[in-house]
Amino acid sequence: MAEMSKGVTAGKLASNVQKKITRAQEKVLQKLGKADETKDVQFEEGVINFNKQLVEGSKLQKDLKAYLAAVKAMHESSKRLHECLADMYEPDWYGKDEMDSIAEDTDLLWTDFHQKLVDHALISMDTYLAQFPDIKARIAKRDRKLVDFDSARHHFASLQKGKKKDEVKIAKPVSLLEKAAPGWAQGILSAHHVAQTNLSRNQAEDELGRAQKVFEDINEDLQEELPSLWNSRVGFYVNTFQSVAGLEEKFHREMGKLSQNLNDVMIKLEDQNQSGKAGKLGLKTTAAGKRQEGTNNTLSPRASGPPIPKSPSKCDSSGGGNLLDMDLDTLPAVSPGGVVSSPSSQAMSWNTWEQEKQASGTTNGSSDEAEMPPGFLYKVKAMHDYGATDGDELDLKAGDVVLVMSHENPEEQDDGWLMGVKEAHWLKKKDLKVKGVFPENFTQHL
C-alpha cells in the first residue's frame, strides 16, 4: 500500500510538473504572437470590478476597525475623567450620589455603543469579505484552465493540419524500415503507422474535450457570481452605514441627556458654593448699615451731591420713621462752606457745590494738579474705619484722604462705591498698584 501510495503521489507530481511546463510554453507562444489566446472581454471587466470591490471592502474594514478602536479609547478617556471628578468630589457637596450615578450610566452607555457597533457593523463586514478569497482562488484556477484549453486546442489543430515537417520526421524512418522489410510485411507497417497517427489525433481530441469542459464549468459559475457580487456592494454599504448612523444617533441622544444632568448638578453645586459667600457679597450693600449700629452718627447712603447730615433728635421725633420716610424739602441744606441754609436757598447752595465739584475734577483747587493720578476727580476723607473684604477693595482708617478716580470700566462699577488711591501713598510712591474700591458713605467730600 505504501509503495502504491508513493507511486500515485509521484505520478501526480509528474503530471503537475508537466502541466506547468505546458502552460509556460503556451504563454510564451501567446506573448510572441505565435499562438492565439482566448479572450472574454465581459469576464475581464467582471474581474476588474471584483478587484476594485475587494480593495474598497478591505479599506472599509480597516477604517471601521480604526473607528472602533477610537470609540474604545474615548470610552477609556471618559471613564478616567469621571473617576477624576469622583475622586475630587467631596461628600458634603451637592449631588454626590447623582454624580456617581451619572458616571456609572455613562460607562454603560459607552460599553453598549461599542458592542453594538461590533455586532451590527464589524461582524457583517467580516462576513461580506469572507466570500472574496474563494472567488479569487477560482478566478486564478479559471485562468490556468483557460491556458490548458488553449494549449489542447492548438495541439489538436496542429495534428489536424498535418504539417509537412512532422510527416517527414515520421515517414523517413518508416520508409527505411519498409525497404528493409520483406514485401508481405510492408503493408502491415503502413497500417500500423496510420493507426498511431489516428490514435494521437483521437487522444488530442479527447484531451481538448476534457480541457474545454473543465474550463467552461468554472467559467460559467464565475460569469454568474461576479456580477451578482458586484451588485451586492450597494446594499451592503447602505446597511452598514445605516447601522452605524442609527447607533451613533441613539448614543449621542442618550449621552446628551447624561451630560445635561451633569451640567445641572454642576449648576446647583455652584449655587451651593455661592450661597456660602452671601455674607461677603452682601457686605458691599449693607456695610453702611452695619457700621451705623456701632456709631452715634447716622450714615446716609450717597446718591449724587454732598451728604446731608441729620441729627438723632430730628429722626427720633418723626415717629420712628427712617430717612426715606421724611420730607427732605423741609430740611435745611448745608452749603460747602458749612453754613446751614434755609429751604429757599437750598437750590442755590446745591448748584454752587456742583460747580465746585466740577472745578476740583480738573484743578482740585491746588498747585498739585500736575501731581494727580490719571482720571483724578476729587478728594474725600474717611469718616470711619473700613476693613477690605475682597482683593480689589481699599482699607480705610478714619482721617485718611483718598484721591477719587474715574472707574476703568464704568459698567462694572457698583452703585455707592468709588475707586481711588490714598493720597499719602500717591504722594510718596506715585503708583496705582494699591488703588481699590471703597464705600462712598464711609467718606466725606473735601
Side-chain angles (χ1 to χ4, degrees):
M1 293 293 294
E3 293 180 357
M4 184 179 295
S5 177
K6 290 181 179 179
V8 171
T9 304
K12 186 176 181 180
L13 178 61
S15 176
N16 290 337
V17 172
Q18 183 60 43
K19 286 182 179 179
K20 290 182 179 179
I21 294 174
T22 303
R23 290 167 184 163
Q25 292 175 343
E26 180 65 23
K27 288 181 178 179
V28 170
L29 292 174
Q30 291 175 353
K31 289 182 179 180
L32 294 175
K34 294 184 178 181
D36 63 313
E37 180 181 1
T38 301
K39 292 287 187 179
D40 188 339
V41 177
Q42 183 177 358
F43 181 83
E44 291 175 357
E45 291 179 354
V47 173
I48 293 174
N49 291 337
F50 171 84
N51 292 328
K52 179 182 178 181
Q53 188 176 359
L54 176 59
V55 171
E56 291 176 349
S58 300
K59 184 178 184 301
L60 177 58
Q61 182 188 48
K62 179 181 178 182
D63 292 340
L64 185 57
K65 288 182 178 179
Y67 176 75
L68 284 168
V71 170
K72 192 172 184 64
M74 278 295 299
H75 179 194
E76 293 298 325
S77 299
S78 174
K79 185 176 181 180
R80 288 195 296 269
L81 187 63
H82 280 279
E83 289 175 350
C84 179
L85 178 60
D87 292 339
M88 297 185 298
Y89 219 91
E90 297 181 6
D92 58 337
W93 288 2
Y94 176 86
K96 170 65 175 173
D97 294 338
E98 186 175 356
M99 191 274 297
D100 291 338
S101 177
I102 292 173
E104 182 179 355
D105 291 343
T106 301
D107 180 58
L108 292 176
L109 185 59
W110 276 108
T111 301
D112 182 68
F113 179 50
H114 183 273
Q115 186 59 47
K116 287 184 177 178
L117 283 173
V118 172
D119 295 340
H120 297 279
L122 185 59
I123 292 180
S124 60
M125 183 81 236
D126 294 341
T127 303
Y128 170 74
L129 288 179
Q131 56 190 328
F132 283 83
D134 175 67
I135 297 177
K136 186 176 182 180
R138 286 194 288 137
I139 291 175
K141 183 177 180 180
R142 184 248 184 208
D143 293 341
R144 295 193 300 271
K145 296 306 177 183
L146 178 59
V147 175
D148 293 342
F149 169 66
D150 284 341
S151 178
R153 181 169 56 84
H154 293 149
H155 178 61
F156 178 73
S158 65
L159 292 177
Q160 285 290 90
K161 290 179 181 179
K163 292 182 180 180
K164 293 182 179 181
K165 291 182 179 180
D166 292 337
E167 292 177 355
V168 171
K169 291 180 180 179
I170 297 175
K172 282 184 178 180
V174 172
S175 61
L176 292 175
L177 181 61
E178 289 176 352
K179 289 179 180 180
W184 60 268
Q186 291 181 2
I188 298 175
L189 291 175
S190 298
H192 177 70
H193 172 66
V194 172
Q196 282 186 330
T197 302
N198 292 334
L199 178 61
S200 297
R201 186 179 294 112
N202 292 336
Q203 288 177 342
E205 186 175 7
D206 292 342
E207 182 62 28
L208 174 60
R210 286 193 298 269
Q212 183 175 2
K213 185 178 185 306
V214 172
F215 167 73
E216 289 180 349
D217 288 344
I218 190 171
N219 185 64
E220 289 176 2
D221 292 340
L222 290 173
Q223 290 281 11
E224 294 178 0
E225 292 182 32
L226 289 180
S228 177
L229 180 63
W230 174 250
N231 294 330
S232 69
R233 74 193 192 286
V234 177
F236 172 75
Y237 295 156
V238 169
N239 292 335
T240 299
F241 282 95
Q242 276 185 341
S243 297
V244 173
L247 292 171
E248 281 186 340
E249 191 275 333
K250 181 179 179 181
F251 169 78
H252 289 299
R253 185 175 66 250
E254 297 300 324
M255 186 61 72
K257 294 178 181 178
L258 292 175
S259 298
Q260 183 60 51
N261 293 341
L262 180 60
N263 183 60
D264 293 341
V265 172
M266 293 298 103
I267 290 176
K268 292 178 180 178
L269 176 60
E270 174 65 14
D271 293 341
Q272 181 190 54
N273 183 53
Q274 291 297 329
S275 65
K277 298 180 180 180
K280 179 179 178 180
L281 296 177
L283 182 60
K284 291 187 176 182
T285 58
T286 61
K290 291 183 178 180
R291 291 289 183 181
Q292 182 179 1
E293 296 177 0
T295 62
N296 293 325
N297 296 326
T298 300
L299 300 178
S300 59
R302 289 178 179 268
S304 59
I308 301 175
K310 292 294 300 174
S311 63
S313 59
K314 184 69 175 178
C315 292
D316 294 340
S317 63
S318 62
N322 55 37
L323 183 62
L324 297 178
D325 297 329
M326 299 178 62
D327 185 2
L328 299 181
D329 294 337
T330 63
L331 297 177
V334 180
S335 68
V339 179
V340 178
S341 62
S342 64
S344 61
S345 61
Q346 182 175 354
M348 181 178 66
S349 299
W350 186 274
N351 293 334
T352 303
W353 184 88
E354 285 289 346
Q355 293 173 0
E356 291 180 358
K357 176 181 177 181
Q358 292 177 2
S360 293
T362 55
T363 63
N364 199 30
S366 69
S367 61
D368 294 337
E369 108 180 342
E371 299 296 326
M372 293 302 165
F376 169 74
L377 298 177
Y378 52 87
K379 295 182 181 181
V380 296
K381 181 179 180 181
M383 304 304 295
H384 306 277
D385 292 348
Y386 175 73
T389 61
D390 208 343
D392 63 340
E393 295 180 4
L394 197 65
D395 272 317
L396 295 179
K397 297 292 184 183
D400 286 345
V401 176
V402 183
L403 306 178
V404 179
M405 301 156 44
S406 59
H407 203 284
E408 295 177 356
N409 298 309
E411 65 275 5
E412 297 181 3
Q413 184 173 4
D414 297 326
D415 293 339
W417 288 76
L418 301 175
M419 169 71 76
V421 62
K422 291 182 181 180
E423 183 182 44
H425 176 83
W426 171 254
L427 295 177
K428 184 178 180 180
K429 300 291 186 179
K430 291 294 190 299
D431 66 60
L432 299 175
K433 294 181 179 179
V434 294
K435 69 177 180 178
V437 296
F438 57 92
E440 183 178 13
N441 53 4
F442 274 59
T443 64
Q444 182 177 0
H445 281 267
L446 294 179

